[in-house]
PDB file of all heavy atoms in Angstrom:
ATOM      1  N   ALA A   7      53.803  63.164  24.489  1.00 81.00           N
ATOM      2  CA  ALA A   7      54.112  62.815  25.878  1.00 81.00           C
ATOM      3  C   ALA A   7      55.534  62.294  26.098  1.00 81.00           C
ATOM      4  O   ALA A   7      56.234  62.807  26.959  1.00 81.00           O
ATOM      5  CB  ALA A   7      53.090  61.784  26.390  1.00 81.00           C
ATOM      6  N   PRO A   8      56.034  61.351  25.290  1.00 85.00           N
ATOM      7  CA  PRO A   8      57.417  60.927  25.473  1.00 85.00           C
ATOM      8  C   PRO A   8      58.433  62.025  25.116  1.00 85.00           C
ATOM      9  O   PRO A   8      59.472  62.114  25.784  1.00 85.00           O
ATOM     10  CB  PRO A   8      57.581  59.725  24.552  1.00 85.00           C
ATOM     11  CG  PRO A   8      56.255  59.324  24.139  1.00 85.00           C
ATOM     12  CD  PRO A   8      55.314  60.481  24.359  1.00 85.00           C
ATOM     13  N   ILE A   9      58.092  62.844  24.151  1.00 85.00           N
ATOM     14  CA  ILE A   9      59.002  63.926  23.815  1.00 85.00           C
ATOM     15  C   ILE A   9      59.118  64.953  24.937  1.00 85.00           C
ATOM     16  O   ILE A   9      60.225  65.405  25.270  1.00 85.00           O
ATOM     17  CB  ILE A   9      58.556  64.610  22.484  1.00 85.00           C
ATOM     18  CG1 ILE A   9      58.785  63.667  21.303  1.00 85.00           C
ATOM     19  CG2 ILE A   9      59.302  65.920  22.261  1.00 85.00           C
ATOM     20  CD1 ILE A   9      58.264  64.157  19.993  1.00 85.00           C
ATOM     21  N   ILE A  10      58.028  65.262  25.568  1.00 84.00           N
ATOM     22  CA  ILE A  10      58.049  66.192  26.687  1.00 84.00           C
ATOM     23  C   ILE A  10      58.825  65.620  27.860  1.00 84.00           C
ATOM     24  O   ILE A  10      59.646  66.296  28.494  1.00 84.00           O
ATOM     25  CB  ILE A  10      56.607  66.606  27.085  1.00 84.00           C
ATOM     26  CG1 ILE A  10      56.036  67.491  26.026  1.00 84.00           C
ATOM     27  CG2 ILE A  10      56.561  67.247  28.438  1.00 84.00           C
ATOM     28  CD1 ILE A  10      54.557  67.827  26.207  1.00 84.00           C
ATOM     29  N   LEU A  11      58.551  64.365  28.166  1.00 87.00           N
ATOM     30  CA  LEU A  11      59.290  63.726  29.279  1.00 87.00           C
ATOM     31  C   LEU A  11      60.788  63.669  28.976  1.00 87.00           C
ATOM     32  O   LEU A  11      61.609  63.946  29.855  1.00 87.00           O
ATOM     33  CB  LEU A  11      58.756  62.330  29.528  1.00 87.00           C
ATOM     34  CG  LEU A  11      57.385  62.242  30.198  1.00 87.00           C
ATOM     35  CD1 LEU A  11      56.899  60.791  30.175  1.00 87.00           C
ATOM     36  CD2 LEU A  11      57.465  62.785  31.584  1.00 87.00           C
ATOM     37  N   LEU A  12      61.123  63.320  27.774  1.00 86.00           N
ATOM     38  CA  LEU A  12      62.551  63.254  27.389  1.00 86.00           C
ATOM     39  C   LEU A  12      63.183  64.615  27.421  1.00 86.00           C
ATOM     40  O   LEU A  12      64.332  64.781  27.874  1.00 86.00           O
ATOM     41  CB  LEU A  12      62.685  62.644  25.991  1.00 86.00           C
ATOM     42  CG  LEU A  12      64.130  62.396  25.518  1.00 86.00           C
ATOM     43  CD1 LEU A  12      64.825  61.382  26.409  1.00 86.00           C
ATOM     44  CD2 LEU A  12      64.100  61.896  24.077  1.00 86.00           C
ATOM     45  N   ALA A  13      62.486  65.643  26.984  1.00 85.00           N
ATOM     46  CA  ALA A  13      63.047  67.023  27.022  1.00 85.00           C
ATOM     47  C   ALA A  13      63.299  67.473  28.430  1.00 85.00           C
ATOM     48  O   ALA A  13      64.343  68.087  28.708  1.00 85.00           O
ATOM     49  CB  ALA A  13      62.062  67.982  26.318  1.00 85.00           C
ATOM     50  N   VAL A  14      62.404  67.199  29.347  1.00 85.00           N
ATOM     51  CA  VAL A  14      62.589  67.604  30.747  1.00 85.00           C
ATOM     52  C   VAL A  14      63.748  66.800  31.364  1.00 85.00           C
ATOM     53  O   VAL A  14      64.582  67.376  32.105  1.00 85.00           O
ATOM     54  CB  VAL A  14      61.284  67.453  31.546  1.00 85.00           C
ATOM     55  CG1 VAL A  14      61.531  67.671  33.033  1.00 85.00           C
ATOM     56  CG2 VAL A  14      60.262  68.433  31.030  1.00 85.00           C
ATOM     57  N   ILE A  15      63.844  65.556  31.056  1.00 86.00           N
ATOM     58  CA  ILE A  15      64.945  64.728  31.601  1.00 86.00           C
ATOM     59  C   ILE A  15      66.264  65.209  31.040  1.00 86.00           C
ATOM     60  O   ILE A  15      67.260  65.336  31.796  1.00 86.00           O
ATOM     61  CB  ILE A  15      64.720  63.245  31.295  1.00 86.00           C
ATOM     62  CG1 ILE A  15      63.521  62.722  32.102  1.00 86.00           C
ATOM     63  CG2 ILE A  15      65.976  62.425  31.531  1.00 86.00           C
ATOM     64  CD1 ILE A  15      63.048  61.334  31.706  1.00 86.00           C
ATOM     65  N   LEU A  16      66.332  65.451  29.727  1.00 84.00           N
ATOM     66  CA  LEU A  16      67.585  65.976  29.124  1.00 84.00           C
ATOM     67  C   LEU A  16      67.949  67.349  29.686  1.00 84.00           C
ATOM     68  O   LEU A  16      69.115  67.650  29.937  1.00 84.00           O
ATOM     69  CB  LEU A  16      67.468  66.050  27.611  1.00 84.00           C
ATOM     70  CG  LEU A  16      67.596  64.736  26.858  1.00 84.00           C
ATOM     71  CD1 LEU A  16      67.307  64.955  25.389  1.00 84.00           C
ATOM     72  CD2 LEU A  16      68.987  64.143  27.048  1.00 84.00           C
ATOM     73  N   GLN A  17      66.960  68.172  29.884  1.00 84.00           N
ATOM     74  CA  GLN A  17      67.200  69.502  30.456  1.00 84.00           C
ATOM     75  C   GLN A  17      67.782  69.412  31.863  1.00 84.00           C
ATOM     76  O   GLN A  17      68.771  70.080  32.166  1.00 84.00           O
ATOM     77  CB  GLN A  17      65.897  70.347  30.470  1.00 84.00           C
ATOM     78  CG  GLN A  17      66.039  71.683  31.159  1.00 84.00           C
ATOM     79  CD  GLN A  17      66.880  72.624  30.339  1.00 84.00           C
ATOM     80  OE1 GLN A  17      66.900  72.575  29.127  1.00 84.00           O
ATOM     81  NE2 GLN A  17      67.509  73.548  31.039  1.00 84.00           N
ATOM     82  N   SER A  18      67.227  68.578  32.691  1.00 84.00           N
ATOM     83  CA  SER A  18      67.663  68.510  34.058  1.00 84.00           C
ATOM     84  C   SER A  18      68.975  67.761  34.191  1.00 84.00           C
ATOM     85  O   SER A  18      69.767  68.034  35.117  1.00 84.00           O
ATOM     86  CB  SER A  18      66.615  67.858  34.921  1.00 84.00           C
ATOM     87  OG  SER A  18      66.385  66.504  34.583  1.00 84.00           O
ATOM     88  N   ALA A  19      69.266  66.814  33.285  1.00 85.00           N
ATOM     89  CA  ALA A  19      70.461  66.010  33.434  1.00 85.00           C
ATOM     90  C   ALA A  19      71.673  66.568  32.690  1.00 85.00           C
ATOM     91  O   ALA A  19      72.782  66.534  33.199  1.00 85.00           O
ATOM     92  CB  ALA A  19      70.184  64.592  32.941  1.00 85.00           C
ATOM     93  N   MET A  20      71.481  67.084  31.488  1.00 79.00           N
ATOM     94  CA  MET A  20      72.626  67.466  30.674  1.00 79.00           C
ATOM     95  C   MET A  20      72.660  68.928  30.268  1.00 79.00           C
ATOM     96  O   MET A  20      73.665  69.598  30.424  1.00 79.00           O
ATOM     97  CB  MET A  20      72.656  66.582  29.416  1.00 79.00           C
ATOM     98  CG  MET A  20      72.963  65.147  29.715  1.00 79.00           C
ATOM     99  SD  MET A  20      72.949  64.008  28.306  1.00 79.00           S
ATOM    100  CE  MET A  20      73.017  64.950  26.876  1.00 79.00           C
ATOM    101  N   ILE A  21      71.582  69.416  29.706  1.00 74.00           N
ATOM    102  CA  ILE A  21      71.623  70.733  29.066  1.00 74.00           C
ATOM    103  C   ILE A  21      71.789  71.839  30.088  1.00 74.00           C
ATOM    104  O   ILE A  21      72.453  72.830  29.789  1.00 74.00           O
ATOM    105  CB  ILE A  21      70.369  70.923  28.198  1.00 74.00           C
ATOM    106  CG1 ILE A  21      70.423  69.921  27.055  1.00 74.00           C
ATOM    107  CG2 ILE A  21      70.250  72.344  27.681  1.00 74.00           C
ATOM    108  CD1 ILE A  21      69.207  69.923  26.180  1.00 74.00           C
ATOM    109  N   SER A  22      71.250  71.671  31.287  1.00 70.00           N
ATOM    110  CA  SER A  22      71.416  72.729  32.284  1.00 70.00           C
ATOM    111  C   SER A  22      72.827  72.780  32.845  1.00 70.00           C
ATOM    112  O   SER A  22      73.211  73.721  33.507  1.00 70.00           O
ATOM    113  CB  SER A  22      70.455  72.502  33.464  1.00 70.00           C
ATOM    114  OG  SER A  22      70.743  71.273  34.106  1.00 70.00           O
ATOM    115  N   ARG A  23      73.653  71.805  32.495  1.00 70.00           N
ATOM    116  CA  ARG A  23      75.060  71.783  32.944  1.00 70.00           C
ATOM    117  C   ARG A  23      75.980  72.453  31.909  1.00 70.00           C
ATOM    118  O   ARG A  23      77.161  72.678  32.186  1.00 70.00           O
ATOM    119  CB  ARG A  23      75.557  70.379  33.173  1.00 70.00           C
ATOM    120  CG  ARG A  23      74.698  69.544  34.070  1.00 70.00           C
ATOM    121  CD  ARG A  23      74.710  70.003  35.496  1.00 70.00           C
ATOM    122  NE  ARG A  23      74.089  69.086  36.385  1.00 70.00           N
ATOM    123  CZ  ARG A  23      72.801  69.188  36.787  1.00 70.00           C
ATOM    124  NH1 ARG A  23      72.069  70.170  36.368  1.00 70.00           N
ATOM    125  NH2 ARG A  23      72.281  68.316  37.629  1.00 70.00           N
ATOM    126  N   ILE A  24      75.468  72.743  30.708  1.00 74.00           N
ATOM    127  CA  ILE A  24      76.243  73.360  29.663  1.00 74.00           C
ATOM    128  C   ILE A  24      75.992  74.876  29.745  1.00 74.00           C
ATOM    129  O   ILE A  24      74.933  75.345  29.363  1.00 74.00           O
ATOM    130  CB  ILE A  24      75.864  72.809  28.280  1.00 74.00           C
ATOM    131  CG1 ILE A  24      76.087  71.305  28.213  1.00 74.00           C
ATOM    132  CG2 ILE A  24      76.682  73.519  27.209  1.00 74.00           C
ATOM    133  CD1 ILE A  24      75.489  70.656  26.988  1.00 74.00           C
ATOM    134  N   TYR A  25      76.985  75.596  30.236  1.00 71.00           N
ATOM    135  CA  TYR A  25      76.817  77.046  30.416  1.00 71.00           C
ATOM    136  C   TYR A  25      77.299  77.825  29.199  1.00 71.00           C
ATOM    137  O   TYR A  25      78.332  77.483  28.645  1.00 71.00           O
ATOM    138  CB  TYR A  25      77.574  77.514  31.660  1.00 71.00           C
ATOM    139  CG  TYR A  25      76.979  76.978  32.945  1.00 71.00           C
ATOM    140  CD1 TYR A  25      77.508  75.922  33.603  1.00 71.00           C
ATOM    141  CD2 TYR A  25      75.819  77.596  33.461  1.00 71.00           C
ATOM    142  CE1 TYR A  25      76.954  75.409  34.751  1.00 71.00           C
ATOM    143  CE2 TYR A  25      75.258  77.122  34.629  1.00 71.00           C
ATOM    144  CZ  TYR A  25      75.806  76.043  35.269  1.00 71.00           C
ATOM    145  OH  TYR A  25      75.251  75.536  36.415  1.00 71.00           O
ATOM    146  N   LEU A  26      76.522  78.833  28.829  1.00 69.00           N
ATOM    147  CA  LEU A  26      76.895  79.751  27.764  1.00 69.00           C
ATOM    148  C   LEU A  26      77.082  81.104  28.441  1.00 69.00           C
ATOM    149  O   LEU A  26      76.066  81.759  28.745  1.00 69.00           O
ATOM    150  CB  LEU A  26      75.844  79.790  26.693  1.00 69.00           C
ATOM    151  CG  LEU A  26      75.400  78.447  26.118  1.00 69.00           C
ATOM    152  CD1 LEU A  26      74.145  78.624  25.307  1.00 69.00           C
ATOM    153  CD2 LEU A  26      76.481  77.897  25.288  1.00 69.00           C
TER     154      LEU A  26
END
Side-chain angles (χ1 to χ4, degrees):
I9 289 174
I10 288 173
L11 287 172
L12 185 63
V14 172
I15 290 169
L16 283 174
Q17 175 69 31
S18 65
M20 292 177 15
I21 294 176
S22 64
R23 309 292 189 262
I24 302 170
Y25 292 100
L26 308 167

